[in-house]
Amino acid sequence: MSVVKSPLSETDLKTVGDALQGALVDLLDLSLVAKQVHWNVVGPRFRSVHLQLDDVVDTARQHSDTVAERASALGVNPDGRAATIAKSTAIASVSEGWIKDVDAVKSLIDALGVVIGRMRERIEATETPDPVSQDILITLTADLEKHAWMFQAENA
C-alpha cells in the first residue's frame, strides 16, 4: 500500500522503483565501504587518499538522500536498512584491519566500477518510464565517474 499516488503506471513504477532501490543500496554501501577504508588507510599517500575517501562518502550520502526522496515521491518505500544493504550489495567487502594506501585505492576503484556499471544499467532502464529519475541517475553517475577517474589517476 502506498499513501503517495504515483504519476507512473504500475509497470513503469516497478521498473523505476527497482532502479531507485538498487541505486540506494549501492550508494549506501559505497559510503560505508569508503568510510571503512578511510578509517583504516595507512601509507605514504595516507593524507590524499584519506581526504579523497571523504569526498566519495559525501557524494554517496548526498545522492542516496536524493534517490530515496525520489522513490518516496513516486510512492515507493525506500529501504536503507543494514540487512537490506547486506543482502543486496554487489560491492566486495573490504579486508579487516589496516589497509595500505595502494590497496585502498584499488578497493575504491573496484567498488566504484561495480556501482557505476549498475547505475548505467539503471539509466538505460529508466529512460522511457521516467526521465526524471533517469536524470537523477545520470547526475549521480557522472559524480561517481569523476571519483573513479581521480582514484585511477592516483594509482597510475
Side-chain angles (χ1 to χ4, degrees), residues 9-75:
S9 71
E10 284 297 316
T11 303
D12 289 349
L13 186 59
K14 172 78 171 113
T15 300
V16 174
D18 289 349
L20 292 171
Q21 178 59 38
L24 178 61
V25 165
D26 284 350
L27 290 167
L28 291 172
D29 196 31
L30 179 63
S31 72
L32 293 171
V33 166
K35 205 53 157 164
Q36 181 66 25
V37 174
H38 167 89
W39 293 322
N40 290 286
V41 66
V42 294
R45 296 184 294 167
F46 163 79
R47 182 163 172 71
S48 65
V49 173
H50 186 78
L51 294 173
Q52 274 183 289
L53 289 163
D54 263 344
D55 289 344
V56 172
V57 171
D58 291 345
T59 296
R61 287 179 178 168
Q62 175 189 352
H63 286 299
S64 65
D65 192 52
T66 301
V67 165
E69 288 179 356
R70 177 64 184 162
S72 292
L74 292 174

Side-chain angles (χ1 to χ4, degrees), residues 16 19-20 70 74 119-142:
V16 174
L20 292 171
R70 177 64 184 162
L74 292 174
M119 291 301 176
R120 287 189 160 273
E121 291 170 5
R122 295 177 184 120
I123 289 168
E124 189 174 315
T126 56
E127 179 180 10
T128 301
D130 188 24
V132 176
S133 294
Q134 183 196 42
D135 186 55
I136 290 168
L137 296 171
I138 289 169
T139 300
L140 74 88
T141 301

Side-chain angles (χ1 to χ4, degrees), residues 96-111:
E96 192 176 324
W98 302 117
I99 303 169
K100 293 209 36 91
D101 51 5
V102 173
D103 296 331
V105 169
K106 182 175 178 348
S107 290
L108 259 289
I109 290 170
D110 292 346

